[in-house]
Amino acid sequence: LAKTTQPISMDSYEGQEVNITCSHNNIATNDYITWYQQFPSQGPRFIIQGYKTKVTNEVASLFIPADRKSSTLSLPRVSLSDTAVYYCLVDPPQGDDKIIFGKGTRLHILP
Amino acid sequence: EAEVAQSPRYKITEKSQAVAFWCDPISGHATLYWYRQILGQGPELLVQFQDESVVDDSQLPKDRFSAERLKGVDSTLKIQPAELGDSAMYLCASSPARAYEQYFGPGTRLTVT
């Protein structure tokens, strides 16, 4: 099972760049790395997914080193509305391994 | 934009009663997931379907929980009998295939008294 480890909480200020790192030492060769955002009383929402190197979309960037044992979600110029819980998970496209959401990182953006 | 539908949104039931949740995934999505989320924790995968087949149900308490997706479309999760510790948010998600973006429904908040 590819478990993940993230910081429990982080604080930052509006307008700053926030980087959240996740470790996944047991990631398998075919696994993808996916990040979700969750607000209170809502289901998680997909942010970004990657396999290796760097992926960027309109809301975030994902950096994955060559050994793929960690990944970093980068949120540029955060706002108060980015206050949420962020989950990193390893996503197996096949086989018996299952998806595991960890405890997530509680990000608190301050004005 | 297509959404995952879940019902009911809220359910209060007494201990030892039966309860059922329904999920209608986004049309064409082959993979369907049921999660349980206790307050302050991350979602825990209960069961994963690929079409009508179960891919993983290793965390489903099979003595009291059951899940089905008979025609590979909508799905039902049942608890019988409910216990106090089952109080949680039950989330359904769907995706076009495994390891694709999951789309989550609004969830069903279950309170067992």
Side-chain angles (χ1 to χ4, degrees), chain A residues 36 38 44 49 95 98 101, chain B residues 37 43 59 98-99 101-102 104:
Chain A
Y36 287 85
Q38 187 176 29
Q49 183 182 69
K98 65 176 186 180
F101 278 80
Chain B
Q37 186 170 27
Q59 295 299 107
R98 291 181 67 175
E101 174 182 350
Q102 293 183 42
F104 283 79

Side-chain angles (χ1 to χ4, degrees), chain B residues 1-112:
Chain B
E1 182 176 300
E3 295 179 342
V4 175
Q6 288 189 249
S7 66
R9 293 290 309 276
Y10 304 92
K11 180 70 178 179
I12 300 174
T13 191
E14 293 183 346
K15 185 176 63 172
S16 78
Q17 295 299 302
V19 63
F21 313 130
W22 177 78
C23 172
D24 190 12
I26 292 173
S27 178
H29 280 193
T31 310
L32 185 146
Y33 311 80
W34 282 102
Y35 293 90
R36 174 173 60 187
Q37 186 170 27
I38 296 170
L39 197 62
Q41 299 184 18
E44 175 193 19
L45 180 68
L46 293 176
V47 62
Q48 178 179 343
F49 290 94
Q50 184 66 27
D51 299 311
E52 66 275 9
S53 300
V54 173
V55 172
D56 184 280
D57 62 356
S58 57
Q59 295 299 107
L60 190 70
K62 298 181 187 64
D63 57 334
R64 299 186 300 107
F65 286 63
S66 64
E68 60 183 15
R69 192 184 185 200
L70 291 177
K71 296 183 179 178
V73 182
D74 58 340
S75 176
T76 302
L77 178 70
K78 297 179 181 177
I79 308 175
Q80 183 175 17
E83 296 181 353
L84 295 177
D86 296 331
S87 294
M89 176 74 86
Y90 290 83
L91 294 162
C92 178
S94 72
S95 66
R98 291 181 67 175
Y100 278 66
E101 174 182 350
Q102 293 183 42
Y103 295 81
F104 283 79
T108 296
R109 182 164 296 284
L110 173 66
T111 301
V112 182

Side-chain angles (χ1 to χ4, degrees), chain A residues 7 10 12 17-21 35 61 63 72-76 107:
Chain A
M10 294 179 65
S12 188
E17 177 184 78
V18 172
N19 295 311
I20 307 174
T21 297
W35 285 78
S61 295
F63 300 91
T72 299
L73 174 71
S74 181
L75 303 173
L107 176 64

Side-chain angles (χ1 to χ4, degrees), chain A residues 6-57:
Chain A
Q6 309 173 228
I8 293 175
S9 65
M10 294 179 65
D11 290 341
S12 188
Y13 291 93
E14 277 192 296
Q16 300 294 304
E17 177 184 78
V18 172
N19 295 311
I20 307 174
T21 297
C22 176
S23 67
H24 26 79
N25 292 320
N26 295 326
I27 190 168
T29 302
N30 295 327
D31 290 346
Y32 287 82
I33 298 154
T34 313
W35 285 78
Y36 287 85
Q37 175 193 56
Q38 187 176 29
F39 298 111
S41 300
Q42 295 184 22
R45 185 174 67 176
F46 173 89
I47 301 174
I48 197 166
Q49 183 182 69
Y51 181 78
K52 62 181 180 180
T53 62
K54 177 183 175 183
V55 179
T56 297
N57 62 22

